[in-house]
């Protein structure tokens, strides 16, 4: 291996040095349980370049930034086949007084526009002079997915592949795909080192809309406290699966959860305002923002479920929903019918549980296997880990 010849040997060596550096950093960052440090800072590193007047960083520590000021950067993400990088936008609002550090992210999926606008609205409401602490926002995490407003990242490694970036966290700076490397760079050098708590905003996806709800583990007191500060009608109390961004934060001791702000592709201003209000409450809860709480979960009726019951299409055809989002349904209740091209009913779909409708396919045509409905409900016994299209 040490006698590699040809032009690749230098790059190979550089790659290996990088790899060793990364594993050393990983080793250094693993603390014994209970003493797990939320902050693993590499300091702030400027590349020396700017884009549209905004400085580019390849690592960021908000402690290095001037207080009482709003800072705008581009973070240098993964290198592409052209040798150029994907940059993500970073907004840091650092209050005049010291305090906790919150991280708000959106755009892990590229078709979830209400999540982006929720974060932008929260950032615009922060008052630098009154704030104690720092809020950092990254609204365009999965840049290439956002460019085409689609859920997944188009990866070119082995021919075109579409990769769901919310199955990649915490990523790997030397991973096999660009989304994995991008996730690793962002998580290690931008997100994790600046978070005492983190909120990763999502929505439903193209063709499948959801209610306003939050996903998180209510058995974790720090998470429960935040989830209850949102005036939204549903909580999905479930740890879901590894690979989602909020679980990568949780795994390193940073309380985190995922709000779901309605349908994909559109701006739902009514739902956005609920999540802005809840997020401002969370910032008050952490002492970053002063003043009285807005409406919380106590001011609305909140249905908490620990599982999502999926109804998958068994036929092709046009789907007609018989219930609406947030409707309560009983076990055995018919919730959708499907017709073929002649208008003949080819399938009828009933709920297997009593619960509340939390998601519905909004694209009227469906093939067998597509999720049509998700019903939030309470499963006795061990919690389910459903594949939820967050
Ligand atoms: Zn999403």
């Amino acid at each position: 291996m040490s006698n590699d010849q040809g032009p690749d040997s230098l790059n190979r060596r550089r790659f290996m040095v990088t790899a060793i550096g990364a594993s050393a950093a990983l080793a250094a960052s693993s603390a014994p349980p209970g003493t797990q440090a939320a902050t693993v800072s590499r300091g702030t590193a400027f590349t020396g370049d700017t884009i549209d007047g905004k400085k580019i960083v390849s690592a960021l520590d908000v402690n290095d930034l001037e207080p009482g000021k709003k800072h705008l950067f581009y973070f240098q993400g993964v290198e592409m086949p052209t040798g150029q990088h994907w940059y993500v936008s970073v907004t840091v609002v650092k209050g005049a007084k010291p305090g906790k550090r919150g991280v708000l992210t959106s755009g892990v999926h590229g078709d979830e526009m209400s999540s982006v606008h929720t974060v932008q609205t929260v950032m615009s409401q922060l008052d630098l002079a009154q704030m104690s602490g720092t809020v950092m926002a990254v609204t365009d995490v999965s840049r290439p997915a956002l460019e085409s407003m689609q859920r997944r990242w188009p990866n070119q490694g082995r021919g075109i592949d579409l990769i769901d970036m919310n199955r990649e966290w915490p990523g790997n700076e030397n991973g096999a795909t660009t989304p994995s490397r991008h996730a690793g760079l962002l998580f290690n050098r931008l997100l994790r080192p600046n978070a005492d708590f983190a909120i990763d905003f999502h929505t439903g996806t193209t063709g499948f809309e959801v209610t306003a709800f939050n996903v998180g583990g209510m058995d974790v007191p720090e998470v429960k406290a935040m989830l209850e500060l949102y005036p939204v009608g549903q909580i999905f109390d479930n740890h879901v699966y590894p690979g989602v961004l909020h679980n990568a934060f949780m795994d390193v001791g940073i309380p985190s959860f995922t709000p779901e702000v309605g349908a994909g592709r559109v701006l739902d201003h009514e739902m956005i305002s609920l999540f802005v209000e809840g997020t401002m409450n969370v910032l008050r809860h952490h002492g970053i923002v002063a003043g009285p709480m807005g409406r919380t979960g106590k001011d609305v009726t909140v249905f908490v479920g620990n599982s999502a019951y999926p109804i998958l299409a068994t036929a092709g055809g046009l789907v007609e929903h018989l219930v609406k989002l947030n409707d309560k349904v009983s076990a055995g209740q018919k919730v959708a019918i499907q017709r073929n091209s002649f208008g003949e009913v080819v399938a009828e779909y009933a709920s297997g549980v009593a619960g509340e409708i939390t998601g519905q396919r909004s694209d009227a045509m469906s093939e067998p296997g597509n999720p049509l409905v998700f019903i939030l409900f309470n499963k006795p016994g061990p919690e389910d880990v459903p594949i939820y299209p967050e």
Side-chain angles (χ1 to χ4, degrees), residues 27-218:
S29 72
S30 49
T35 64
Q36 217 159 30
T39 301
V40 185
S41 175
R42 299 160 188 256
T44 300
F46 292 95
T47 68
D49 289 330
T50 61
I51 298 174
D52 293 338
K54 296 175 179 77
K55 288 180 180 169
I56 300 174
V57 293
S58 58
L60 182 68
D61 182 345
V62 295
N63 293 315
D64 297 337
L65 304 178
E66 191 184 328
K69 218 177 145 188
K70 186 175 191 173
H71 304 265
L72 305 178
F73 302 108
Y74 276 109
F75 176 84
Q76 181 177 279
V78 73
E79 185 175 340
M80 299 176 289
T82 53
Q84 300 185 48
H85 293 262
W86 283 117
Y87 296 95
V88 301
S89 64
V90 183
T91 303
V92 180
V93 174
K94 185 166 181 178
K97 291 165 276 184
K100 282 196 182 176
R101 303 157 311 146
V103 166
L104 312 178
T105 52
S106 65
V108 170
H109 291 133
D111 58 348
E112 304 186 353
M113 308 353 281
S114 284
S115 63
V116 176
H117 194 60
T118 303
V119 174
Q120 290 172 342
T121 307
V122 169
M123 297 306 281
S124 73
Q125 292 188 1
L126 299 175
D127 181 345
L128 282 166
Q130 298 301 319
M131 266 175 66
S132 305
T134 303
V135 183
M136 182 175 86
V138 183
T139 59
D140 48 8
V141 169
S142 187
R143 273 284 315 284
L146 276 151
E147 298 291 358
S148 48
M149 215 166 84
Q150 65 182 355
R151 177 177 174 85
R152 299 183 188 89
W153 176 304
N155 182 64
Q156 273 77 248
R158 295 162 184 81
I160 283 290
D161 198 5
L162 292 170
I163 296 180
D164 187 333
M165 206 183 172
N166 216 23
R167 303 293 181 270
E168 296 289 332
W169 302 96
N172 178 348
E173 294 189 16
N174 296 303
T177 67
T178 46
S180 172
R181 294 197 294 277
H182 190 68
L185 289 167
L186 264 69
F187 195 72
N188 298 336
R189 297 160 189 260
L190 180 66
L191 303 176
R192 179 185 179 184
N194 295 303
D196 293 319
F197 62 94
I199 312 175
D200 182 35
F201 293 80
H202 284 255
T203 74
T205 192
T206 299
F208 194 92
E209 61 184 347
V210 301
T211 63
F213 69 104
N214 285 301
V215 185
M218 294 283 276

Side-chain angles (χ1 to χ4, degrees), residues 216-234:
M218 294 283 276
D219 57 330
V220 182
E222 297 92 332
V223 174
K224 180 173 187 278
M226 292 193 279
L227 294 180
E228 289 176 339
L229 293 176
Y230 282 80
V232 302
Q234 291 181 350

Side-chain angles (χ1 to χ4, degrees), residues 248-283:
F249 281 116
M250 292 294 292
D251 288 346
V252 293
I254 299 168
S256 186
F257 61 96
T258 289
E260 299 279 354
V261 194
R265 302 193 79 82
V266 297
L267 293 186
D268 185 327
H269 288 286
E270 204 174 309
M271 283 196 195
I272 288 168
S273 70
L274 298 178
F275 284 96
V276 169
E277 194 166 356
T279 305
M280 292 302 288
N281 287 340
V282 168
L283 298 180

